[in-house]
Amino acid sequence: QVQLVESGGGLVQAGGSLRLSCAASGSIFSINDMGWYRQAPGKQRELVASITSGGSTNYADSVKGRFTISRDNAKNTVYLQMSSLKPEDTAVYYCNVEVLSWLLLKLRVNEYWGQGTQVTVSS
């Protein structure tokens, strides 16, 4: 089993910055893609940013140039540095991790979600 622990959310004024962290622990052989999603009230969950094991990144158009995703493979942790925050960035942010684990003598891929952390940007 794998556990994800998120931290770093909070309340910030428009134009401010926040840094989210998500640490994975447990039965981990290796981690493939890591990413951040968000869900605002009344809206569907959407991809914010993702990063491959090799470090390639992908961003939603709405956050390009403002958010930066990074990862520390030694710590099994993914980060989201958010700058120039806007009220429309207000949402619950979830990390998502694709983990390879040994199970019954085979490597298996499973996807895990963090518990979510609230980000509120005031105007």
Side-chain angles (χ1 to χ4, degrees), residues 5 13-14 20 22-23 28-29 31 34-35 38 43 47 55 63 71 75 77 82-83 87-88 99 103-104 106 111:
V5 177
Q13 287 189 332
L20 306 183
C22 174
I28 298 171
F29 176 77
I31 298 178
M34 307 179 85
R38 67 186 181 187
K43 294 187 177 182
L47 175 68
V63 307
R71 61 191 285 172
K75 296 181 178 179
T77 300
M82 304 184 292
S83 303
E88 51 263 43
V99 176
L103 180 62
L104 300 176
K106 290 185 179 181
E111 186 180 35

Side-chain angles (χ1 to χ4, degrees), residues 1-120:
Q1 192 60 277
V2 173
Q3 297 79 40
L4 300 181
V5 177
E6 298 182 24
S7 61
L11 173 65
V12 65
Q13 287 189 332
S17 298
L18 283 174
R19 188 192 195 207
L20 306 183
S21 300
C22 174
S25 62
S27 180
I28 298 171
F29 176 77
S30 65
I31 298 178
N32 291 340
D33 292 356
M34 307 179 85
W36 289 95
Y37 288 71
R38 67 186 181 187
Q39 187 166 19
K43 294 187 177 182
Q44 288 189 333
R45 190 173 296 189
E46 63 175 358
L47 175 68
V48 176
S50 64
I51 184 167
T52 68
S53 57
S56 296
T57 58
N58 178 53
Y59 295 93
D61 288 342
S62 59
V63 307
K64 282 182 181 176
R66 300 188 298 121
F67 291 10
T68 302
I69 189 170
S70 61
R71 61 191 285 172
D72 184 333
N73 291 328
K75 296 181 178 179
N76 291 332
T77 300
V78 61
Y79 305 96
L80 185 67
Q81 178 67 48
M82 304 184 292
S83 303
S84 302
L85 283 161
K86 304 175 181 180
E88 51 263 43
D89 294 318
T90 295
V92 178
Y93 284 69
Y94 299 89
C95 66
N96 175 271
V97 176
E98 189 177 82
V99 176
L100 273 71
S101 303
W102 285 105
L103 180 62
L104 300 176
L105 302 180
K106 290 185 179 181
L107 273 176
R108 301 179 187 272
V109 178
N110 285 291
E111 186 180 35
Y112 296 90
W113 290 90
Q115 79 279 10
T117 185
Q118 177 70 46
V119 171
T120 303

